[in-house]
């Protein structure tokens, strides 16, 4: 029996003879179901698309201590993972819905995994596959535990803040989902500190501002209290750089840019802009 993977969001469901009637993630107001209807796939089908060995994982160095792990061609929403490496172990963040043996071997060569987690339920992806390969914990924010589509005994819930490894802290921000989180990585940006934000805080294509979304595909905004909640959650942490859920990155000056971007966004919400 195959484990089912939603083709639209890349989330995994337990193995069974028939796929679920719908994807709970994509049926929600923040996501979408194709006009032609829900579509399911499997790991083997994803692996074989375009011919044997076509879909594969890609690794690249982002900065010292940080590795990017993507999938080509992309799966589901298309996020790439970030592997935060410390001498106490590694954390995998926002894994895509597809993982191959080569990716697991390459992470093993980089010290394996202590834990795997995601910014929010859209990006849970192949968390359980990664956890099983390394005996790692799956960290899920308590507020979003109801969105888990692939139950696993390795799941541990957390709330508020959680220092997963020395200098690597999960910070609950809310907004896009109640449990939407970022990683604060103290050693990032040459020791100035970095945030890994998924789409809890969204880096724009021009890499010159940050924005906030309730739903990206459905173009629904966050409220002012939600945005202020995100700012309050991250302000105590030093950071100069922000890695979003895809390639765009704010290389420096991220703290000031976040404050300025939030103020501008709130002007629009209040009808004070443009
Ligand atoms: Zn889905
Ligand atoms: Zn999302």
């Amino acid at each position: 029996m195959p484990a089912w993977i939603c083709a639209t969001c890349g989330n995994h469901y337990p193995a069974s003879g028939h796929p679920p009637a719908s994807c709970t993630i994509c049926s929600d107001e923040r996501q979408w179901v194709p006009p032609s209807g829900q579509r399911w796939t499997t790991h083997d089908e994803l692996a074989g698309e375009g011919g044997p060995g076509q879909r594969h994982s890609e690794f690249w160095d982002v900065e010292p201590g940080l590795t990017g792990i993507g999938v080509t061609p992309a799966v589901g929403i298309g996020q790439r993972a970030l592997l935060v490496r410390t001498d106490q172990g590694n954390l995998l963040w926002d894994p895509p819905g597809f993982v191959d043996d080569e990716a697991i071997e390459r992470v093993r060569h980089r010290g394996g995994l202590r834990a795997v987690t995601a910014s929010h339920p859209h990006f849970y992806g192949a968390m359980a596959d990664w956890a099983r390969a390394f005996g790692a914990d799956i960290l899920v924010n308590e507020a979003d535990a109801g969105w888990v589509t692939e139950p696993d005994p390795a799941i541990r819930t957390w709330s508020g803040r959680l220092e997963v490894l020395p200098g690597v802290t999960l910070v609950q921000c809310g907004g896009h989902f109640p449990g939407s989180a970022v990683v604060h990585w103290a050693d990032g940006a040459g020791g100035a500190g970095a945030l890994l934000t998924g789409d809890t805080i969204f880096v724009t294509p021009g890499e010159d501002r940050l924005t906030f979304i309730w739903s990206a595909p459905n173009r629904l905004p966050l409220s002012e209290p939600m945005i202020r909640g995100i700012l309050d959650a991250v302000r105590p942490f030093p950071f100069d750089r922000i890695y979003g859920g895809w390639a765009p990155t704010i290389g420096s000056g991220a703290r000031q840019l976040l404050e300025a971007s939030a103020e501008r966004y709130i002007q629009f919400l209040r009808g004070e802009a443009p």
Side-chain angles (χ1 to χ4, degrees):
M1 288 192 301
W4 298 100
I5 300 172
C6 173
T8 308
C9 72
N11 273 279
H12 289 207
Y13 287 74
S16 74
H18 299 281
S22 63
C23 171
T24 52
I25 298 287
C26 289
S27 304
D28 175 66
E29 189 181 24
R30 283 159 282 207
Q31 252 289 108
W32 57 284
V33 176
S36 52
Q38 171 67 33
R39 199 162 69 75
W40 295 101
T41 186
T42 64
H43 178 275
D44 288 351
E45 185 177 287
L46 288 173
E49 274 175 5
Q54 278 298 105
R55 177 167 273 118
H56 61 281
S57 299
E58 288 188 328
F59 279 56
W60 62 95
D61 294 326
V62 180
E63 66 168 80
L66 192 67
T67 303
I69 306 175
V71 174
T72 304
V75 169
I77 299 171
Q79 77 271 22
R80 56 90 180 85
L82 291 169
L83 181 71
V84 185
R85 307 193 318 274
T86 80
D87 52 16
Q88 305 289 311
N90 300 335
L91 173 70
L92 185 67
W93 170 251
D94 282 349
F98 176 84
V99 56
D100 52 21
D101 292 343
E102 189 188 341
I104 286 167
E105 280 315 304
R106 292 178 82 167
V107 168
R108 202 181 303 284
H109 281 298
R110 287 165 171 79
L113 285 185
R114 285 274 297 275
V116 54
T117 190
S119 52
H120 69 299
H122 291 154
F123 290 177
Y124 286 167
M127 283 203 303
D129 291 345
W130 283 102
R132 278 192 289 270
F134 292 100
D137 289 339
I138 301 170
L139 303 173
V140 171
N141 189 275
E142 177 75 43
D144 294 342
W147 291 101
V148 170
T149 55
E150 187 180 28
D152 192 282
I155 290 175
R156 313 275 178 266
T157 57
W158 66 281
S159 202
R161 292 180 190 174
L162 178 68
E163 188 169 24
V164 182
L165 293 161
V168 181
T169 304
L170 291 177
V171 182
Q172 182 177 357
C173 297
H176 182 40
F177 275 80
S180 275
V182 300
V183 172
H184 177 255
W185 177 36
D187 286 344
L195 297 181
L196 284 47
T197 64
D199 55 15
T200 304
I201 300 169
F202 204 100
V203 181
T204 59
E207 301 184 333
D208 59 350
R209 73 177 62 207
L210 295 146
T211 191
F212 312 90
I213 41 111
W214 170 259
S215 168
N218 300 324
R219 307 300 196 266
L220 296 172
L222 285 193
S223 68
E224 180 173 343
M226 286 172 164
I227 291 164
R228 298 212 178 276
I230 293 169
L231 296 175
D232 288 345
V234 301
R235 274 183 185 135
F237 295 90
F239 63 92
D240 192 47
R241 183 171 295 168
I242 290 182
Y243 293 101
W246 295 267
T249 299
I250 304 298
S252 64
R255 173 179 291 278
Q256 297 89 323
L257 200 60
L258 178 62
E259 297 287 342
S261 298
E263 285 312 309
R264 184 64 177 152
Y265 191 106
I266 288 167
Q267 286 177 351
F268 275 88
L269 290 177
R270 291 179 173 180
E272 298 168 357

